[in-house]
Amino acid sequence: ELCVSGGKDKSVAVCNWRSGAVLGRFVSHEHEVTKVSIKEFFSASRDRTVMMWELHGTSGPTQRFPGHELVVTGLAVSPDASRLCTGSRDNTVRKWDVETGECLCRAALSRNLVTHLCWVPGEPYVIQTSEDKTIRMWDSRELQVAHTFPGKQHIQTSCDVSQDGRYCVSSSSGFAGEGCEATLWDLRQTRSRVCEYRGHLQTTASCVFLPRGPALTPSIATSSYDSKVKVWDRDTAACLATACLEGAGPLASLAACDSSTLLCASFRSGIHVLQLRHHEELELEKVAVF
């Protein structure tokens, strides 16, 4: 029931998403926080560092990971929480020992301005999106590119991997309906594009797989700068439900709490709690904001 968020005020906040109560606030970054991870509780920042925190520990970070030369924009924790992969606008991806804070290896690729990282469950692979419009799969053991997916027409803003490790979804920048899509990729033998989800009118900033529920087909959720969150049928690309968050401005990121609950971070009005409900048809409703 924890929600971790970071902002331009340089702080990281931990809230209970059911009640909206703030459980802790952490301030040690020198610049805006760009990414957070609830697993072992990490934060990345424009101050070029990553920090690890304990909710009920000391007020300061329990570990620091300095070394990037520009803003850190990607953050992924290994399934056993022993390794951390980070990416930056400095064109590098780095692997760290979580316990010691040591940088174990570093890989640099020209024009690889990282936008997001996520770990493939049960595998040594990390998926990465970039401003060079490319999605890459890294083998974290030697930090080498294991596969590069076919290039897209727009910046790839975010990615997520399904719980079974079979699929990846990436989201795209765009404007006036050009681009703005999410793309499903097969991570198995073919590693090809499966389908696209089109309907947003501005940059699609975030995409997540929804956990399987008893009444829901395999589904994907997206959030966009057009102030809308959409839920899609993973296999048919049909839009199942849409929520328009009036006045919220661009919607920056999504997190799935369970099969029917989403958290959506907005530029103007905090974090919204959205609930999928079955009436005559599937509806996505805002139930709280904090």
Side-chain angles (χ1 to χ4, degrees):
E1 297 184 356
L2 296 183
C3 167
V4 179
S5 62
K8 291 185 178 181
D9 62 1
K10 310 174 191 177
S11 74
V12 178
V14 181
C15 301
N16 181 302
W17 61 262
R18 291 190 185 278
S19 66
V22 177
L23 305 178
R25 190 177 297 275
F26 304 87
V27 183
S28 279
H29 285 296
E30 297 178 0
H31 295 286
E32 174 185 351
V33 176
T34 56
K35 289 287 168 74
V36 294
S37 170
I38 195 168
K39 188 171 185 178
E40 297 301 316
F41 195 4
F42 293 88
S43 61
S45 171
R46 289 189 180 275
D47 65 11
R48 302 173 292 182
T49 68
V50 174
M51 296 184 185
M52 182 171 71
W53 312 82
E54 287 186 8
L55 176 57
H56 301 295
T58 61
S59 59
T62 57
Q63 189 62 271
R64 296 174 185 263
F65 305 87
H68 280 293
E69 297 174 4
L70 292 172
V71 52
V72 183
T73 48
L75 189 61
V77 187
S78 66
D80 65 359
S82 67
R83 298 290 184 263
L84 173 71
C85 273
T86 60
S88 167
R89 289 182 65 86
D90 64 9
N91 300 325
T92 70
V93 175
R94 297 172 185 249
K95 183 175 72 171
W96 310 81
D97 185 294
V98 168
E99 184 176 357
T100 67
E102 175 188 3
C103 183
L104 301 174
C105 48
R106 168 187 177 276
L109 287 177
S110 176
R111 299 190 301 169
N112 185 33
L113 282 73
V114 177
T115 56
H116 200 76
L117 290 169
C118 57
W119 212 289
V120 179
E123 300 286 348
Y125 298 111
V126 175
I127 306 294
Q128 178 233 311
T129 50
S130 170
E131 286 193 15
D132 69 359
K133 309 174 186 177
T134 302
I135 303 104
R136 297 180 176 89
M137 178 186 289
W138 292 83
D139 188 328
S140 67
R141 291 167 291 194
E142 301 296 332
L143 210 56
Q144 296 179 343
V145 176
H147 182 72
T148 301
F149 294 88
K152 297 286 291 177
Q153 296 298 310
H154 296 80
I155 290 170
Q156 297 300 285
T157 58
S158 182
C159 57
D160 191 30
V161 177
S162 60
Q163 291 178 321
D164 60 11
R166 296 175 63 186
Y167 297 103
C168 168
V169 62
S170 66
S171 53
S172 175
S173 68
F175 184 75
E178 178 67 28
C180 314
E181 79 279 357
T183 305
L184 184 69
W185 305 91
D186 191 338
L187 295 184
R188 295 167 294 177
Q189 294 179 352
T190 62
R191 294 183 176 174
S192 58
R193 186 179 72 183
V194 179
C195 64
E196 292 186 333
Y197 310 92
R198 295 184 174 274
H200 286 297
L201 299 179
Q202 297 185 44
T203 289
T204 300
S206 186
C207 51
V208 295
F209 288 92
L210 294 184
R212 286 294 299 271
L216 193 65
T217 60
S219 303
I220 287 167
T222 57
S223 65
S224 170
Y225 284 8
D226 64 9
S227 300
K228 292 180 180 178
V229 177
K230 291 180 178 287
V231 175
W232 313 83
D233 185 301
R234 185 196 69 189
D235 299 324
T236 68
C239 184
L240 303 176
T242 300
C244 183
L245 305 182
E246 297 284 355
L251 304 180
S253 63
L254 281 175
C257 301
D258 53 40
S259 62
S260 62
T261 308
L262 284 164
L263 300 181
C264 181
S266 68
F267 273 35
R268 297 177 186 163
S269 57
I271 297 173
H272 298 254
V273 183
L274 305 175
Q275 195 84 41
L276 272 170
R277 292 175 174 166
H278 291 268
H279 298 298
E280 292 184 0
E281 57 185 29
L282 195 65
E283 295 180 1
L284 186 61
E285 301 175 350
K286 182 177 75 173
V287 296
V289 61
F290 57 90

